[in-house]
Amino acid sequence: MVKTKVAIIGSGNIGTDLMIKIMRLSNVLEMSVLVGIDPDSDGLKRAARMGVAITAQGIDGLVAMPEFADIGIVFDATSAGAHQRNSELVLAAGKRMIDLTPAAIGPYTVPSVNGDANLDARNVNMVTCGGQATIPIVAAVNRVAKVHYGEIVASIASKSAGPGTRANIDEFTETTSQAIMDVGGATRGKAIIVLNPAEPPLIMRDTVYCLCEDGDRDAIRRSIEDMVAEVQAYVPGYRMKQAVQFEHIGSNQPLRIPEMDGAFTGLKVSVFLEVEGAAHYLPAYAGNLDIMTSAALKTAEKIAQRHFAGAAA
């Protein structure tokens, strides 16, 4: 079996976790190069010990490496600011790119919702960790009852947030809010991220609120449970913390939310999630890493199967 060779730009938490996942789990992808800018980073040292080619010269170092010629897919796990140039160089070389930053140059991709829709795009965007966890729920509600407003709160352990994540907080909220609408189907979207400094670190927790049309509550519940099962297929630590909550909002006490026009009456659906990581790199509290890298891995494998000869499931 001939695997599709890949490179990862970014040797921080996300890039290192993704590298380990590819090497341990994928029958389709072959880890070729890990790229960083700090020669002393743990990610680059770990890659070298595992026999992966490395460069500490960023994207320019990658392009100059002889291994670059054989690479089919490049993951970008750097920052939204760096992604523009990274993408330009990678696409100019005829490679395909999977963007794990909130830059959102390519189409938003959430495997359980629109995983097959963007396989021909040269650059696909994996939204954010919070988006990967919550947008499937918004979409699950929306396919039963129209969601007028979707709001998500993603709480992650501070220790799991590297410098790239911290530098991209604004982009996180903007990208996730837009993807709640574009992928989740909500008319309006809002995202909030919390870096939780608790010790010991807590695993990723996500809360999803949907204001939607009145609909069959059993059908909404089944839709959400089915969607959770779909996400669990590639993120085993993804689960609901409790049963789906419903609240009828009547005309006697309508909701008035600044992000919405006028007053809302209808159904409020609340879903409480947690994501336990597989601990491939950081401990299990880093579910935010796990869902992001797992979604990127699943997407890359589908792209490889579609576009590169010799890739096999």
Side-chain angles (χ1 to χ4, degrees), residues 79-288:
S79 67
H83 180 68
Q84 178 72 46
R85 183 166 184 267
N86 292 344
S87 179
E88 289 173 357
L89 292 176
V90 167
L91 297 188
K95 318 295 183 183
R96 292 180 179 272
M97 172 151 273
I98 296 181
D99 176 19
L100 287 86
T101 82
I105 292 174
Y108 298 125
T109 301
V110 179
S112 60
V113 181
N114 66 340
D116 295 331
N118 302 320
L119 298 181
D120 293 328
R122 305 293 300 182
N123 178 326
V124 297
N125 177 259
M126 303 311 300
V127 195
T128 60
C129 59
Q132 289 294 337
T134 61
I135 288 170
I137 303 301
V138 178
V141 176
N142 189 68
R143 62 191 180 188
V144 178
K146 173 61 183 173
V147 175
H148 296 292
Y149 176 77
E151 179 176 311
I152 72 97
V153 181
S155 177
I156 66 174
S158 182
K159 281 189 174 180
S160 71
T165 298
R166 294 174 185 276
N168 282 249
I169 295 297
D170 288 346
E171 290 86 353
F172 175 100
T173 57
E174 293 166 4
T175 295
T176 308
S177 297
Q178 190 63 46
I180 289 170
M181 297 183 285
D182 292 354
V183 182
T187 303
R188 298 285 182 91
K190 182 177 181 179
I192 300 168
I193 183 172
V194 177
L195 301 186
N196 192 329
E199 290 288 349
L202 299 178
I203 67 174
M204 184 185 195
R205 297 285 175 85
D206 300 282
T207 304
V208 184
Y209 300 110
C210 293
L211 301 181
C212 62
E213 297 287 340
D214 276 318
D216 185 327
R217 297 186 184 190
D218 287 336
I220 294 173
R221 184 183 297 107
R222 287 193 300 271
S223 180
I224 292 171
E225 291 171 349
D226 289 346
M227 184 65 79
V228 169
E230 288 186 49
V231 178
Q232 285 175 335
Y234 57 96
V235 188
Y238 182 84
R239 52 185 174 260
M240 283 196 294
K241 283 291 292 178
Q242 62 188 73
V244 180
Q245 304 294 302
F246 297 97
E247 180 182 354
H248 176 72
I249 308 298
S251 57
N252 58 326
Q253 285 188 311
L255 289 179
R256 291 179 172 83
I257 297 175
E259 288 81 6
M260 295 182 67
D261 295 325
F264 170 80
T265 60
L267 194 62
K268 176 182 176 182
V269 182
S270 302
V271 180
F272 304 93
L273 307 161
E274 67 177 16
V275 186
E276 182 177 1
H280 288 130
Y281 180 52
L282 290 184
Y285 63 73
N288 52 307

